[in-house]
Amino acid sequence: MDSKLTKDLTVCSPPSDPLAELLRRNGKFSKAWQQAVNAPTASQRMELTKSIFTAGCQINPAALAEGQKPWAALLSCADARVAPEWIFAAGSGELFQVRGAGNTAFDDAIASMEYAVAVLEVPLILVMGHSACGAVKAAIASDPLTPLLEDLVKPIRASLKPGDDLTKAIQGNALYATATLSQRSEVLKKAQASGKVSIKSAYFDIGTGKVTVI
Ligand SMILES: [Zn+2]
């Protein structure tokens, strides 16, 4: 990638600390999100929510047509309420994302993160669980599931600890997926050991819109 393109693609990147930048932007989102609770109409709620982008940053689409240089990678749930661009007030080209129900470290998710780190040189992977996660609820319950859903909840069940309430179980599942990334991937393990990538876990509370590092 030539230096002009790299410069154009990193115009929105945080100077040094990607995790601090995610949390700073989430602070803007959660404030607007909480204000939206008391807005009487759907369009007023949208005005408040999209106000997080007014001081935002968008990489030039012409540069994005040539490449990508995201500054953080997210492994998060498929849940419709857990959209990373909103939660972190990010424009196109900033966040590399893998989403699947229950934010588990499934094989293709690990492979995607290997690509993010080895090729795109993303300095941070954040594994993010969220409140009221249906996949974790399904893992805790003993209702019959399809064979593929049984496979999906296997690692979530492996992460469960006796006596955990739903919140603890969701956080435990995020920590388990975080550990799995470097246990299953030599690329990620080496990158983490050398400081090339930092792999962290977080919890998103839908009600307050706040992300907490766990
Ligand atoms: Zn979920």
Side-chain angles (χ1 to χ4, degrees):
M1 198 179 285
D2 68 46
S3 61
K4 162 85 169 64
L5 181 58
T6 302
K7 193 166 171 259
D8 288 347
L9 289 173
T10 52
V11 67
C12 302
S13 301
S16 60
D17 190 338
L19 184 60
E21 178 69 3
L22 285 178
L23 296 175
R24 185 187 73 77
R25 295 190 188 194
N26 173 252
K28 286 166 61 179
F29 169 77
S30 62
K31 196 175 159 204
W33 193 239
Q34 289 170 36
Q35 287 169 348
V37 169
N38 296 316
T41 69
S43 63
Q44 283 168 313
R45 289 192 287 277
M46 180 50 96
E47 283 305 315
L48 275 167
T49 313
K50 75 181 188 193
S51 72
I52 62 174
F53 291 102
T54 53
C57 184
Q58 178 56 59
I59 299 164
N60 191 322
L64 290 173
E66 301 297 320
Q68 59 168 326
K69 196 83 181 117
W71 52 268
L74 269 292
L75 173 56
S76 55
C77 188
D79 193 299
R81 303 162 293 180
V82 185
E85 274 91 355
W86 281 106
I87 295 169
F88 298 112
S92 180
E94 294 192 76
L95 304 178
F96 185 92
Q97 296 168 47
V98 179
R99 295 179 68 179
N103 44 270
T104 59
F106 54 99
D107 286 0
D108 289 359
I110 301 172
S112 300
M113 290 305 177
E114 287 187 339
Y115 177 78
V117 171
V119 180
L120 302 176
E121 300 178 323
V122 171
L124 170 71
I125 297 174
L126 190 65
V127 179
M128 189 169 75
H130 68 94
S131 60
C133 183
V136 176
K137 285 182 192 171
I140 293 169
S142 52
D143 300 336
L145 299 169
T146 67
L148 288 172
L149 277 170
E150 279 293 342
D151 283 348
L152 187 145
V153 299
K154 244 178 224 163
I156 306 179
R157 285 195 175 132
S159 76
L160 295 175
K161 294 197 179 70
D164 276 357
D165 61 15
L166 181 61
T167 302
K168 282 271 173 223
I170 289 163
Q171 294 178 347
N173 175 51
L175 290 167
Y176 186 90
T178 304
T180 303
L181 288 176
S182 49
Q183 279 162 10
R184 293 276 321 282
S185 165
E186 275 301 310
V187 169
L188 296 178
K189 193 176 169 180
K190 278 185 188 156
Q192 193 179 26
S194 69
K196 198 179 159 202
V197 69
S198 171
I199 309 180
K200 302 279 185 190
S201 317
Y203 177 79
F204 171 62
D205 181 76
I206 295 169
T208 61
K210 272 190 186 155
V211 172
T212 316
V213 176
I214 48 176

